[in-house]
Amino acid sequence: MGEKYQALVERLKEIRNVDRAAAVLHWDQQVNMPRGGARGRAAQLATLSRIAHELLISDETARLIADAETEVGSADYDSVEASMLRVAKRDFRKSTCVPSSLVAELAEAETLAHEVWAEARAQDNFGKFLPALQRILDLKRREAEFRGYSEHPYDAFLDDYEPGMTASRVKKLFDAHKGELVSLVAAIKERGDGVSDALLRQTYDIDKQRAFGEQMVRAYGYDFERGRQDVAVHPFCITFSQGDVRITTRYNSDYLNPALFGTMHESGHAMYEQGVDPALEGTPLSRGTSLGVHESQSRLWENFVGRSRPFWTWAYPQLQSTFPDQLGGVDVETFYRAINRVAPSFVRVEADEATYNLHIMVRFEIELDLVTGAVPLEKLPQLWNEKFESYLGIVPPSDKLGVLQDVHWSSGLIGYFPTYAIGNLLTAQFYRQALAAHPFIPDEIAQGKFDTLREWMRANIYQHGRKFTADELTQRLTGEPVECSYFITYLQEKYRDIYG
Ligand code: ZN
């Protein structure tokens, strides 16, 4: 490709460098920074974010895009060049359609709202959060008008995380499996509490937890030569370059699950980022294509592999020898059932596979009303609890365990929640395709071999980075758009086996 295209790529790489430098500061803030550093760090991050934004929306970038288009014009749709131009144009359009004054107003409102939310949550006082939430929503509605949408203002926000997805498609997907989930969870409840997870809630030495978790994800194929794991309050995965994709986790000395399955989860995100084609490194294409596809990979390694019977056939003897006092007398079947226990709970991040998407549906339906203003904000806790009861059969005893539990709305992240559920649906779809191509994958997993599965994901998903949208990728891989029936079948088979 010619000089004009190269000049555009150089520009885009420069912008990405600023973003990735900001990522290092962000990681440090979550992992190492003393509390006193907060104010200074916020100022540094704001400066870097302004520099990256100015570089992107500048006339110079617009000119480089227009010039490159004359060279790339007729390149094949699948080529790196055509994909680069598509993504650059999309990013440019998104960044320029909202006036900087509104962007700044939102950033300020979000910083304030986040503080108020944390306080309101600690005090279990929704009323305190209400004015800050109202302000965020007013600003977000204005943002939606600038961004533009075809059907519902919510579409403008969804598009940030799941390009091309719309509220009506999400609603259809959710409506198509809500009833099945509700009856599955109710049927399990009827069986009584035949599965206990008490054995997971013993004392587990933290150093040994760390060593075991790292051993598992190293076996998956998370490359520690190009990554590392640290401790953070809210676990995440973050990319500085393809040579440095880090994960974090949190340890609980009297509960085995959070660190073990959290590490597997984040390693799925990280292997996606580590697996992007090296030729795309440093460009806007060198990361996962959408939050839903990203989540499909974390859920694959956390649940479809990490909570499967074949996996523990291989891993359990190792876990037993790591924790002989706690698990020496527990057989693998009892352990397998314990890690797959289904029980409706109030908190999304602790939800099991069967109830998880119901937590998301509650939030999605409420968000639609928030965006249009269809419901008065003071009715929110009541609305939350009513929906919660009708889907999960339990009512949160407090707003802290209900409408105030998640950080997203205070951070202006409207439209983010559905991507978690879409991720679960996509995992089932992608895994089904991998199994069709290589039916012996479960046998390999039972021997601690993960490369056939990982390489299938790398070749079909990871390597493309952002070249294709989630819709394009899903259509190409499965011959259909995102779909819920495979996920439901997976859950029904799994829990029929466990609960009878
Ligand atoms: Zn995740």
Side-chain angles (χ1 to χ4, degrees), residues 235 265-266 269 291 294-295 298-299 302 416 420:
H265 181 100
E266 299 307 332
H269 285 304
L291 291 189
H294 236 300
E295 200 65 7
S298 55
R299 292 291 178 173
E302 174 195 358
Y416 191 111
Y420 294 120

Side-chain angles (χ1 to χ4, degrees), residues 354-472:
T355 55
Y356 193 93
N357 279 14
L358 293 171
H359 286 257
I360 299 303
M361 290 171 193
V362 169
R363 288 155 177 79
F364 168 69
E365 290 167 16
I366 289 177
E367 280 189 337
L368 285 182
D369 285 347
L370 287 180
V371 167
T372 54
V375 68
L377 283 190
E378 54 274 14
K379 288 261 170 65
L380 216 52
Q382 189 193 332
L383 184 64
W384 179 285
N385 292 354
E386 282 167 9
K387 283 190 187 292
F388 215 82
E389 182 169 25
S390 82
Y391 301 163
L392 287 133
I394 51 175
V395 182
S398 65
D399 291 337
K400 194 176 171 173
L401 289 172
V403 70
L404 283 174
Q405 69 181 265
D406 280 314
V407 66
H408 301 62
W409 294 340
S410 73
S411 306
L413 300 175
I414 314 271
Y416 191 111
F417 284 120
T419 67
Y420 294 120
I422 291 169
N424 284 330
L425 306 182
L426 287 174
T427 315
Q429 272 179 284
F430 294 153
Y431 192 44
R432 183 169 168 271
Q433 292 299 320
L435 287 178
H438 306 287
F440 50 81
I441 283 176
D443 303 323
E444 287 193 350
I445 291 176
Q447 290 159 18
K449 278 185 81 238
F450 305 97
D451 41 342
T452 305
L453 176 58
R454 191 192 59 250
E455 279 307 298
W456 189 91
M457 292 294 160
R458 194 193 57 75
N460 289 287
I461 299 174
Y462 304 170
Q463 67 154 335
H464 298 306
R466 284 174 85 202
K467 275 176 72 178
F468 308 118
T469 64
D471 271 334
E472 288 169 342

Side-chain angles (χ1 to χ4, degrees), residues 81 93 104 113 163 175 190 231-232 307 356 392 400 406 421 428 451 474 479:
E81 291 80 9
R93 191 178 58 238
D175 286 349
E190 261 174 43
V231 174
R307 279 189 166 89
Y356 193 93
L392 287 133
K400 194 176 171 173
D406 280 314
D451 41 342
T474 310

